[in-house]
Amino acid sequence: MDLTDKNFESEVLKSDQPVLVDFFAEWCGPCKMQAPIIEELEQEFAGKAKVLSLDVDANQQTASEFQVMSIPTLIFFKNGKAVERVMGLQRKDALVDKLNSLL
Amino acid sequence: MEKLVIIGSGPAGLTAGIYAARANLSPVVIEGDTPGGQLLWTTEVENFPGFETGVLGPELMQKMQKQATRFGSKLIGESVISVDFSQKPFKITTNKQTFEAESVIIASGARSRMLGLPKDKEYLGKGLHTCATCDGAFYRGKIVAVIGGGDSAMEDANFLSKFAEKVIIIHRRDALSASQIMQARAKNNPKIEFAYTSEVIEYSGSNGRIGELKLLNSQTKETSILKVDGIFMAIGHIPNTEPFVGQIKLGKNGYIEPINWVYTDVPGIFVAGDVADWRYRQAVTAAGFGCMAALEVEKYLAGKE
C-alpha cells in the first residue's frame, strides 16, 4: 500500500504492528532495486508487521518531518516511534533480521 | 565445495556469473553490501552497447542478475568479511557462513572516497553525500559544494545546478583535472563557482546537519568559513580490497594489479572489474573483464581434473 501525508499517522504512528517505511522517489536509482525487496517483505510479514512505501516528492511534509535527505531511507516504527533508520540500498536479510527483532 | 565463488555483483561479477554458469560451474555470487554495484547510484547509462536509447543503471543490473540466475548462478545476499587463500580449498567467510571453493573471482569493485575527517560518518546522508544523482533533488534552491576537480566533479556540479541555487566546486589544486569539454560545461554554467587551492578541513552544523565548511587555502594558508546546505564528494574511488589484505598481492592504492590479464599471485584466485582497474572504470570494460576471468577459471578447473 502507498503511504501519503494524510494516512501516515493512522497507518504508521497508530499501528499495532511494527512498521517499516521505505522513503523513495521515482528518480532514484537505488530505490528501484529496493522496491522488489520491499514488496517481498510486505507479503512475507503480512499479519505480523507492515511494510509500506512513501514517495518523498508527493509527500514532502512527512519526508521533511523525518528529515529524509537521502534515499532510499528506511525507518522502522514501533508503538508510534521511529526506533531505527538506515540509509542506502538495504539487503533483504538485514531487513528481515531487523523486522523479526521488533515483532 | 563450490567450483567457483565470485565476490561482487556489479557488471564484472555478474558477467563472470553468466559465463561460468553457462560452462556448468554453478557459480556462487556473493553480492556484497550493494547488490548490483556502483551502477545503482547512476541514473541513465547511455554508453552501454545495445541500449540505443539508454538504460537506467539499476535496471541494467536487474537484467544482468536475471541473466546470471537464468543459467544457474546462485546469488547470495551476504557480504564477505574475510578470506583464507593460504590453502585449498579456499575459504570465503561472509557475515552468515563460510564457503569453500576450488577457485575464486574477486570482483568486489570500488567505492567513493571520503575526506577522512572525524565527522564523515556523523554527517553522511545529513548534508554529506556521495551520490549527486541520488540525493541532489533534496537541494532545490539551496547552496551546495562539490569536492573534486575531475570529470565526475564537473558532472555532479552540472547535475546539481538543476536543483541548487548555487554550486561551489572546491578543489585542492590551482587547476582542474577534468577533460576540456567537462570543464567548459561547468565554467559556462552561471550557477557554478570555483574555489581553487582549497581544502575542507572541518564540517560543522546544527540539528545534526551540515551547515558550514571550514576551508584552508593552501596558498595563502588562511582559513575561511563557507556556509552550505550540502556537500557532495567527487574525489575518486577506493578499491574494496580490505578482506584480501595479506592473502593476495595488492598494488598501488590498494588495487589488485592483475597478472596476465586476470590472474593474481595465488593460482586459482582471479580478478575482474574496478577492483583491478583505476583507469577505465566503465560498466562495459568491467563486464568484459568478468568474461575474461570466467573463461580463465574454466581453463584452470579443466586443467586440474
Side-chain angles (χ1 to χ4, degrees):
Chain A
M1 192 188 80
D2 284 340
L3 276 175
T4 62
D5 283 341
K6 281 188 180 148
N7 67 10
F8 192 84
E9 188 174 352
S10 61
E11 291 295 332
V12 178
L13 301 180
K14 294 196 169 156
S15 168
D16 299 334
Q17 297 171 356
V19 188
L20 167 58
V21 179
D22 169 27
F23 291 79
F24 76 99
E26 288 300 328
W27 44 263
C28 152
C31 300
K32 289 195 196 306
M33 299 289 273
Q34 191 73 70
I37 295 173
I38 292 297
E39 278 169 27
E40 284 174 30
L41 291 175
E42 185 179 352
Q43 291 178 3
E44 286 169 29
F45 280 86
K48 293 187 287 183
K50 288 197 210 174
V51 181
L52 305 167
S53 303
L54 182 115
D55 183 334
V56 298
D57 281 336
N59 302 285
Q60 294 188 7
Q61 189 188 324
T62 308
S64 73
E65 189 179 327
F66 289 93
Q67 298 195 340
V68 173
M69 295 295 279
S70 177
I71 46 175
T73 285
L74 291 97
I75 306 185
F76 296 84
F77 292 86
K78 191 172 185 179
N79 301 327
K81 285 196 181 115
V83 289
E84 185 159 342
R85 67 191 283 161
V86 284
M87 282 178 308
L89 179 70
Q90 301 295 317
R91 282 201 321 247
K92 189 179 169 185
D93 62 331
L95 297 174
V96 166
D97 289 350
K98 188 69 211 163
L99 274 172
N100 277 326
S101 76
L102 292 176
L103 292 181
Chain B
M1 183 167 60
E2 309 297 336
K3 288 197 186 89
L4 167 64
V5 165
I6 297 167
I7 301 172
S9 60
L14 291 177
T15 305
I18 293 166
Y19 273 77
R22 286 170 61 87
N24 288 323
L25 300 180
S26 321
V28 165
V29 179
I30 303 176
E31 294 184 296
D33 291 335
T34 48
Q38 293 176 83
L39 275 185
L40 293 197
W41 317 119
T42 65
T43 49
E44 201 83 24
V45 178
E46 293 183 316
N47 53 13
F48 201 90
F51 294 91
E52 57 177 322
T53 55
V55 58
L56 292 173
E59 198 185 326
L60 178 61
M61 295 323 296
Q62 274 172 339
K63 284 178 188 289
M64 285 193 205
Q65 286 173 354
K66 283 182 187 150
Q67 196 176 356
T69 42
R70 179 182 151 211
F71 294 115
S73 296
K74 284 169 279 180
L75 270 54
I76 310 284
E78 296 170 16
S79 295
V80 171
I81 308 294
S82 64
V83 298
D84 182 357
F85 294 161
S86 63
Q87 52 188 339
K88 287 171 188 170
F90 302 123
K91 290 193 177 62
I92 303 100
T93 302
T94 71
N95 51 318
K96 290 257 166 87
Q97 57 185 315
T98 296
F99 292 91
E100 291 188 340
E102 286 178 62
S103 65
V104 175
I105 295 175
I106 299 173
S108 51
R111 61 181 186 272
S112 290
R113 184 184 290 280
M114 306 290 282
L115 283 173
L117 297 176
K119 290 182 178 169
D120 274 351
K121 272 209 168 138
E122 186 182 324
Y123 284 126
L124 188 62
K126 296 168 186 163
L128 174 62
H129 302 270
T130 56
C131 175
T133 54
C134 304
D135 300 336
F138 288 108
Y139 291 91
R140 283 194 180 89
K142 302 276 173 72
I143 298 170
V144 296
V146 173
I147 315 298
D151 275 354
S152 54
M154 303 305 117
E155 205 178 319
D156 284 357
N158 275 312
F159 179 82
L160 289 165
S161 72
K162 292 181 201 168
F163 307 102
E165 183 190 303
K166 187 161 85 170
V167 182
I168 304 140
I169 294 176
I170 300 172
H171 187 41
R172 61 196 170 104
R173 302 188 192 283
D174 59 4
L176 302 171
S177 57
S179 61
Q180 289 303 323
I181 183 167
M182 293 303 292
Q183 284 196 34
R185 226 180 261 176
K187 285 174 177 167
N188 291 333
N189 187 323
K191 282 185 172 177
I192 297 178
E193 294 177 9
F194 294 86
Y196 293 103
T197 63
S198 296
E199 244 177 284
V200 177
I201 53 171
E202 199 182 312
Y203 322 117
S204 56
S206 55
N207 298 328
R209 292 192 41 76
I210 282 185
E212 285 178 356
L213 305 178
K214 193 188 238 182
L215 299 182
L216 172 68
N217 188 313
S218 61
Q219 280 189 338
T220 62
K221 304 290 173 204
E222 280 170 7
T223 59
S224 59
I225 298 290
L226 180 67
K227 285 202 184 303
V228 296
D229 299 295
I231 161 172
F232 289 79
M233 292 296 136
I235 48 172
H237 296 82
I238 301 175
N240 298 320
T241 46
E242 286 83 355
F244 315 115
V245 172
Q247 298 290 326
I248 57 164
K249 194 170 163 244
L250 301 179
K252 200 178 146 201
N253 296 326
Y255 282 87
I256 298 170
E257 281 174 14
I259 302 162
N260 189 15
W261 301 93
V262 294
Y263 291 82
T264 67
D265 62 326
V266 180
I269 307 293
F270 299 79
V271 67
D274 283 14
V275 72
D277 174 20
W278 46 267
R279 190 191 297 255
Y280 300 108
R281 302 186 293 107
Q282 301 300 302
V284 67
T285 52
F289 214 150
C291 159
M292 295 191 291
L295 293 175
E296 294 303 321
V297 165
E298 213 182 317
K299 272 192 221 162
Y300 168 82
L301 292 175
K304 273 179 63 181
E305 276 164 12

